[in-house]
Amino acid sequence: MDASMPHRLELIGITKRFPGVLANDNVSFSVKPGEIHALLGENGAGKSTLVKMIYGIMQPDAGEIVWDGQRTVVANPKAARALGIGMVFQHFSLFEALTVLENIALGMDAKIPARELEARIRAVMTQYGLLLDPHRTVATLSVGERQRIEIVRALLLDPKLLIMDEPTSVLTPQEVEQLFDVLRKLAAGGCSILYISHKLHEIKALCDTATILRGGKLVDTCDPKAETSRSMAEKMIGAGLKDIVRAPGRTMGLPKLVVSRLSTKKSGHFDVPVDSVSFVVKAGEIFGIAGVAGNGQNALLDALSGEILGEDKDAITIDGFPLGLLDTTGRRRHGLCAVPEERNGHAAVGDFTLSDNSILTARNRLGMVVLGLINSGAAKTYTGKVITDFAVKALGPSSTAGSLSGGNLQKYIMGREILQRPTVLVVSQPTWGVDAGAAAAIHQALVDLAAEGSAIVVISQDLDELLALCDTLAVINAGQLSDAQKVGEISVEEIGLLMGGVHGTSEARDAIPA
Amino acid sequence: MEMLIPIIVTLVGAATPILIAALGELVAEKSGVLNLGVEGMMLVGAIAGFVAQFYTGNPYLALLCGAFAGAAVSLIFAFLTLSLSANQTATGLALTIFGTGLSALAGAPYSAKPIALMQPLFPDMLARDPFWRVFFGYSFPVYFSFIMVAAIWWFLKRTRSGLILRAVGENDHSAHSIGYSVTGVRYAAVVFGGAMAGIAGACFPLLLTPQWAESMTAGRGWIAVALVVFASWRPLRLLAGAYLFGLVMTMELYAKAGGGVLAVIPSELWAALPYLATIVVLVLISIRRDASTNAPACLGKPFMPTN
């Protein structure tokens, strides 16, 4: 990296205004060839807007994009790809009903015969160790596998700049290392990488430069290796970062949630059922379930929440009361609340207002429905409280859920469940795509809820989160749950082995047929 | 045998317009647009085809006029639903009412004025042969419908444009973010559907009854729409379905004419059979629930780009 080299990409005074909000305010920075450049910021800081303009999805209101020393207008994503800009989205732009091959073909501008494309895909997959069967339908793939499609799709274009939006949130530590190897190889070959993430230690490990945005403004460009995670996080949120505060001398109470030999049936051909899962969560305990995406987490959550109806009333008990045969409403009445992984469409209805979304899960516990009539005042008040307590960026209780950014919607959903003071709370991916400041707030709220005597189950693919948050940890693999271990008595390597070790079989399953 | 051949010939005549219209609707639906105006577009195509045949006597020109008329009417639908994001179901129903009225108005001066039927494509030696007419006794649209089944299957399955069309119907926002023009693709698909419906409509005066009668398509446009679902959006199943429906309709005709055993079932019931079959198939599809139902995920949803 020679200082005299022209910049690969230079942004000069980029400004983008949306009705009521200045998403990017005079942002300028540059990326050198072969540089891995981090873009950091809270939700709503304007990172996504900025990269959308670089990728040609939006046009800046003011400012210039300079590409390889030339002033450029990136008219649309096609023009961006023609320049050599590739992007891996956080929300995958995949077509569920189509195959991997067809999905990749759609992202290619050049017309390549299917057979040649397949050969090139296999070559890229082998080169970077990204295993996938090109003829599988996307609907049958896990989140992690779907991300691989996006990465392969971007790599096939031989990009000169690769934009990655929160790429590691769904990967195991080993997979993250593999991805970093891929990215380092690419950078060594001269490809610049613009890496958006909120995982600061990853940025320290991977990136050469970090540009930090706050409220649409550039606050700092720094060398992440010379900074601490904490100092970067504080620049990002513009205030001191709070640690998780645990009450001293905390003791756990009696077993609250007892799950014994909980199994589900296989329903779809991609569905991984849970197989005779047993665990105990005590009052005040936070119980973590680690595992790679697609190992039965969804089935486990649905079986616990009541979305999949059980057949054995004693498979799930709270304080000895059997819940196994109850549906979601019944379980919520008895104090078991759940937050599924998918925010929009599963945990919340996008076209409904936040207030109506509150009624959907909190109606019985908080008396929002009286004699079949909705008490909308109570729902509004409660939603307002969630918005205030969890610092949800929304206009108010009558904003639609779909209008919130992913992180803000997650804060709302977590708040909606936590403020119901459930006896048992089961959450999946509580902070996926949520920035450091908000994640810390969600973690603190979970710890506080546990301190009040609730039992909490956290299903997450983010190991750091589980290690920071949980008292006890178990690993789910192929629908089976490992023995629970105390956090602090188990090493990351051991967990990684449990997550991936038994996974020797899954490597074979994913392997490309010769 | 002497009973069978006329039945087959009637069956082909009944199935062809449904098949052509349904193929057009299939393409439109694959792009994510539900156009319930097929019946209306067919009627407009029918009167356009009739008038062209009445004045020129050139049936190919008549088919072409039918196609243009159908396409023109479908453009109204496309503008309302794609450019102005109007509700597709309501707009489609309105299009049918509009097409019915427009064709009745335009056709009023032509009632009881006969035209010439379209002649078979093959020479008389084959086309009038008592046996070979089963294969060679039909006019151009029949063979056209078969070619279009293969062509549309190939287009959707094997070509890049077909892949883009399916992608747009499957996930409009993703297609948009990759950089495809969702609205453009859908306009093209809807206009193609309109042209096919127009040709299908023109088949009625050219192939079946050589004169103009109000609402002469008699609900076949609705059967075409039902058939697309029945065939779960697959062109080859559409072919099978069209002929199955055609058979039922032929049975209905024979039942009406007092055709022996067929009359045991009232002709009204025969007429209802295609719809009952569609309902049964829909139920079967939803019981199976897996992805193989093949319905385009964005079917009927208006596309509004978020940025």
Side-chain angles (χ1 to χ4, degrees):
Chain A
M1 257 179 280
D2 187 340
S4 67
M5 268 163 89
H7 294 304
R8 173 69 35 91
L9 173 76
E10 198 174 355
L11 301 183
I12 305 167
I14 296 286
T15 301
K16 179 78 185 178
R17 185 183 295 276
F18 292 121
V21 60
L22 196 57
N24 286 134
D25 184 3
N26 197 17
V27 174
S28 307
F29 69 90
S30 56
V31 184
K32 294 191 203 72
E35 178 184 340
I36 305 183
H37 192 117
L39 201 53
L40 266 174
E42 286 200 289
N43 294 324
K47 297 166 300 191
S48 296
T49 307
L50 193 62
V51 293
K52 275 181 181 167
M53 286 187 285
I54 299 172
Y55 196 58
I57 298 173
M58 293 178 192
Q59 296 304 316
D61 295 333
E64 285 176 18
I65 296 173
V66 180
W67 177 256
D68 277 337
Q70 303 273 319
R71 259 195 68 179
T72 310
V73 174
V74 188
N76 52 46
K78 204 169 184 166
R81 289 192 294 267
L83 290 172
I85 303 174
M87 179 152 177
V88 175
F89 291 90
Q90 180 188 5
H91 299 289
F92 308 144
S93 44
L94 293 174
F95 304 93
E96 301 243 332
L98 307 183
T99 65
V100 172
L101 188 65
E102 287 173 332
N103 265 282
I104 293 176
L106 279 168
M108 309 290 289
D109 297 316
K111 290 181 185 173
I112 304 165
R115 216 162 280 164
E116 193 193 322
L117 182 64
E118 192 178 334
R120 282 181 55 189
I121 290 170
R122 287 184 192 276
V124 168
M125 285 177 181
T126 321
Q127 189 184 349
Y128 294 105
L130 298 153
L131 298 179
L132 270 178
D133 176 0
H135 294 287
R136 288 256 310 259
T137 307
V138 171
T140 69
L141 298 177
S142 71
V143 188
E145 289 171 312
R146 288 173 193 211
Q147 188 194 37
R148 284 183 220 160
I149 305 177
E150 292 274 359
I151 294 174
V152 170
R153 174 151 80 183
L155 292 185
L156 278 170
L157 297 165
D158 266 328
K160 288 201 263 179
L161 171 71
L162 185 62
I163 304 170
M164 305 213 68
D165 195 357
E166 306 258 358
T168 59
S169 34
V170 290
L171 307 179
T172 61
Q174 284 86 350
E175 284 176 314
V176 170
E177 261 319 306
Q178 280 177 9
L179 174 69
F180 283 6
D181 284 342
V182 172
L183 296 182
R184 287 194 190 103
K185 265 188 216 170
L186 272 169
C191 177
S192 309
I193 291 160
L194 198 53
Y195 187 90
I196 302 175
S197 177
H198 63 281
K199 293 187 185 172
L200 297 156
H201 69 273
E202 285 182 358
I203 285 170
K204 280 173 69 66
L206 182 71
C207 301
D208 306 308
T209 318
T211 289
I212 301 172
L213 295 179
R214 190 200 319 142
K217 287 196 181 72
L218 191 147
V219 289
D220 194 16
T221 294
C222 59
D223 175 2
K225 294 191 171 71
E227 300 273 336
T228 63
S229 294
R230 196 187 177 88
S231 66
M232 284 195 288
E234 285 174 354
K235 281 178 191 164
M236 219 163 83
I237 59 176
L241 192 64
K242 292 189 197 98
D243 287 312
I244 297 178
V245 186
R246 289 175 200 266
R250 213 161 52 95
T251 50
M252 283 174 221
L254 295 166
K256 203 105 193 143
L257 172 73
V258 179
V259 176
S260 54
R261 291 196 293 283
L262 178 68
S263 296
T264 60
K265 292 201 188 84
K266 196 172 171 67
S267 55
H269 64 130
F270 169 57
D271 185 63
V272 178
V274 291
D275 180 11
S276 197
V277 163
S278 304
F279 60 92
V280 175
V281 190
K282 296 184 192 123
E285 180 178 5
I286 303 182
F287 186 91
I289 295 176
V292 184
N295 270 293
Q297 288 97 329
N298 292 340
L300 179 59
L301 186 109
D302 289 348
L304 288 173
S305 71
E307 235 176 284
I308 299 177
L309 288 175
E311 286 168 356
D312 174 9
K313 75 178 166 62
D314 292 316
I316 301 166
T317 61
I318 292 182
D319 292 330
F321 183 86
L323 293 170
L325 296 179
L326 297 178
D327 61 6
T328 42
T329 306
R331 291 187 197 190
R332 281 182 179 277
R333 270 186 216 273
H334 286 95
L336 191 153
C337 293
V339 178
E341 173 180 333
E342 199 186 331
R343 297 184 267 246
N344 207 342
H346 196 178
V349 181
D351 292 335
F352 275 22
T353 63
L354 294 180
S355 201
D356 287 347
N357 272 294
S358 298
I359 295 168
L360 290 179
T361 77
R363 62 187 186 280
N364 293 322
R365 295 186 64 76
L366 300 174
M368 289 177 190
V369 174
V370 182
L371 299 171
L373 296 176
I374 290 168
N375 180 349
S376 53
K380 274 215 176 81
T381 314
Y382 178 67
T383 308
K385 186 170 154 55
V386 172
I387 291 174
T388 320
D389 287 10
F390 282 79
V392 180
K393 279 182 197 147
L395 293 174
S398 46
S399 307
T400 60
S403 70
L404 268 61
S405 74
N408 273 307
L409 185 57
Q410 182 70 359
K411 286 198 271 185
Y412 160 74
I413 291 163
M414 291 300 299
R416 178 184 70 183
E417 302 305 325
I418 288 172
L419 293 183
Q420 291 181 41
R421 301 288 158 215
T423 321
V424 174
L425 178 65
V426 184
V427 295
S428 182
Q429 305 279 37
T431 58
W432 187 11
V434 172
D435 59 77
I442 289 174
H443 288 163
Q444 188 59 50
L446 286 171
V447 168
D448 292 346
L449 182 66
E452 289 174 21
S454 297
I456 298 175
V457 179
V458 179
I459 304 172
S460 174
Q461 287 146 36
D462 183 344
L463 208 46
D464 298 318
E465 166 169 68
L466 293 174
L467 291 173
L469 193 61
C470 301
D471 305 299
T472 321
L473 197 64
V475 176
I476 191 166
N477 185 292
Q480 292 180 317
L481 196 68
S482 74
D483 291 337
Q485 311 228 29
K486 277 215 160 59
V487 170
E489 292 173 11
I490 182 168
S491 70
V492 178
E493 286 70 29
E494 278 177 84
I495 301 168
L497 283 176
L498 282 171
M499 283 162 79
V502 194
H503 247 69
T505 48
S506 114
E507 287 287 320
R509 190 191 65 201
D510 290 348
I512 305 168
Chain B
M1 196 68 185
E2 64 259 39
M3 180 70 176
L4 192 63
I5 287 176
I7 287 182
I8 293 176
V9 172
T10 319
L11 160 64
V12 171
T16 298
I18 304 173
L19 179 58
I20 294 175
L23 280 169
E25 178 68 5
L26 182 139
V27 171
E29 290 193 13
K30 268 294 189 187
S31 82
V33 183
L34 178 68
N35 186 351
L36 294 181
V38 178
E39 178 79 1
M41 298 188 296
M42 279 172 76
L43 280 167
V44 172
I47 185 62
F50 174 87
V51 171
Q53 175 74 340
F54 184 79
Y55 286 110
T56 69
N58 181 343
Y60 293 95
L61 190 67
L63 285 173
L64 205 62
C65 285
F68 269 109
V73 181
S74 73
L75 262 178
I76 303 174
F77 175 85
F79 178 72
L80 291 172
T81 58
L82 302 177
S83 297
L84 304 180
S85 297
N87 179 294
Q88 293 179 7
T89 309
T91 311
L93 294 174
L95 189 69
T96 288
I97 297 168
F98 171 71
T100 311
L102 182 71
S103 62
L105 178 71
Y110 299 101
S111 62
K113 289 183 182 169
I115 53 167
L117 277 177
M118 196 168 186
Q119 291 307 301
L121 190 62
F122 292 98
D124 275 0
M125 199 178 71
L126 285 170
R128 304 262 181 249
D129 182 276
F131 175 73
W132 287 109
R133 73 187 181 107
V134 175
F135 298 105
F136 299 107
Y138 312 107
S139 51
F140 168 75
V142 173
Y143 305 103
F144 169 77
S145 70
F146 280 98
I147 292 166
M148 287 311 279
V149 170
I152 287 170
W153 174 84
W154 179 80
F155 170 79
L156 289 174
K157 201 77 190 167
R158 289 272 185 269
T159 69
R160 188 177 161 78
S161 310
L163 177 61
I164 294 170
L165 186 130
R166 281 188 289 145
V168 164
E170 201 52 51
N171 189 338
D172 44 14
H173 285 282
S174 289
H176 175 71
S177 74
I178 293 179
Y180 295 113
S181 165
V182 173
T183 309
V185 168
R186 288 187 175 169
Y187 256 97
V190 167
V191 169
F192 175 79
M196 291 290 276
I199 293 174
C203 287
F204 283 84
L206 290 170
L207 266 62
L208 303 173
T209 5
Q211 55 180 322
W212 171 252
E214 265 181 44
S215 300
M216 71 185 303
T217 53
R220 303 294 159 81
W222 294 109
I223 294 190
V225 173
L227 190 59
V228 176
V229 182
F230 180 89
S232 54
W233 294 270
R234 287 184 170 87
L236 298 176
R237 277 196 208 169
L238 202 62
L239 177 67
Y243 276 77
L244 187 68
F245 282 27
L247 180 67
V248 175
M249 280 179 262
T250 311
M251 295 296 112
E252 178 202 340
L253 289 177
Y254 278 78
K256 241 181 210 160
V261 278
L262 292 172
V264 175
I265 301 173
S267 68
E268 288 80 5
L269 194 59
W270 281 110
L273 264 182
Y275 299 101
L276 292 175
T278 303
I279 291 168
V280 170
V281 168
L282 281 175
V283 170
L284 290 178
I285 286 173
S286 46
I287 287 173
R288 269 170 65 209
R289 278 188 76 181
D290 57 357
S292 69
T293 55
N294 213 18
C298 289
L299 185 60
K301 284 192 236 160
F303 172 68
M304 278 173 267
T306 47
N307 46 59

